[in-house]
Amino acid sequence: MAEVTEKPDNDPSNFIDVSQEFVVCTGWHALCSASPDCRMNGDKADCDCLRVNEPHIVATSEIQDLVAKRMTLTKCTKEYPCDVDQAPVCKAIKDGKYEVDNVKYNWVSTYSYRGWCSLLEYKPIACDQYTPDYTGDLYWAICDAAPCTENPNSSNSDKPLSCQCRVKNTPFVGFGSCTGANGGIMSSFPLWAWDFQRNTYPFAMPGYEYVQGACATFKSDPLPSR
């Protein structure tokens, strides 16, 4: 049976088309990059986040709307990538039909570069609770693709959205500190997702090469030695 079903290595059907890791959308979204004071709430954290209208990036593995996730992973692949706004999750977010646990949300936390240069001024640092003498937070909030609601009672008018972010207890990236503000925990990303030597992502992040240049000091670069 194995001999009958076995296919040669060069058979095109042997190759699996891997889904895109990130897709790019446009329009309104919640941005939690500058949320250092998320409040623990059971197995989630409530983060006060910005309301932003600009191109944004969705990590496809983090999509919590199961239908949008399945459709996006199927349609948007490395061989046939989705262009801007072509991913099904983009439409779900834009139309207010992003559904989590049978609830549809008008707002979703995704990633964009608003204020990124100012975040870099705090200098990303490694926050690893498994190292000796560590004194920072044990937990952090991951807000990628988290559902959000409007918060009319927000104490910060610049952060009118409340996002229900998942909580992790793994090593993470801190911005100037490993401790959240006001007794809360910070919204961040895992430690492996940042190259501290090169001050960049260790993987292809849409648009980051332009942001890195925009944040760089206004000066010439030295020529390589000959």
Side-chain angles (χ1 to χ4, degrees), residues 27 74 197:
T74 300
Q197 297 297 321

Side-chain angles (χ1 to χ4, degrees), residues 157-215:
S157 60
D158 206 32
K159 293 183 178 180
L161 301 178
S162 177
C163 298
Q164 292 73 59
C165 304
R166 288 170 296 132
V167 173
K168 298 279 189 178
N169 63 345
T170 56
F172 61 96
V173 176
F175 288 92
S177 172
C178 291
T179 305
N182 302 320
I185 62 173
M186 66 181 69
S187 167
S188 187
F189 52 94
L191 194 59
W192 59 261
W194 189 253
D195 184 336
F196 291 92
Q197 297 297 321
R198 298 171 55 237
N199 205 37
T200 185
Y201 294 101
F203 44 79
M205 190 69 169
Y208 186 69
E209 64 273 22
Y210 304 109
V211 176
Q212 194 172 25
C215 293

Side-chain angles (χ1 to χ4, degrees), residues 24-38:
V24 180
C25 310
T26 61
W28 291 97
H29 64 284
L31 180 60
C32 302
S33 299
S35 300
D37 53 354
C38 302

Side-chain angles (χ1 to χ4, degrees), residues 73-124:
L73 293 177
T74 300
K75 179 179 180 180
C76 307
T77 65
K78 290 190 175 180
E79 186 175 356
Y80 301 102
C82 288
D83 205 345
V84 177
D85 279 338
Q86 289 184 344
V89 69
C90 295
K91 180 172 174 57
I93 293 172
K94 188 167 291 188
D95 293 348
K97 295 182 178 179
Y98 189 86
E99 186 171 324
V100 181
D101 296 333
N102 298 316
V103 177
K104 291 183 179 179
Y105 291 87
N106 289 321
W107 296 97
V108 180
S109 170
T110 62
Y111 183 77
S112 66
Y113 293 114
R114 177 72 60 93
W116 184 247
C117 297
S118 61
L119 285 177
L120 287 180
E121 291 178 359
Y122 290 101
K123 190 175 178 57

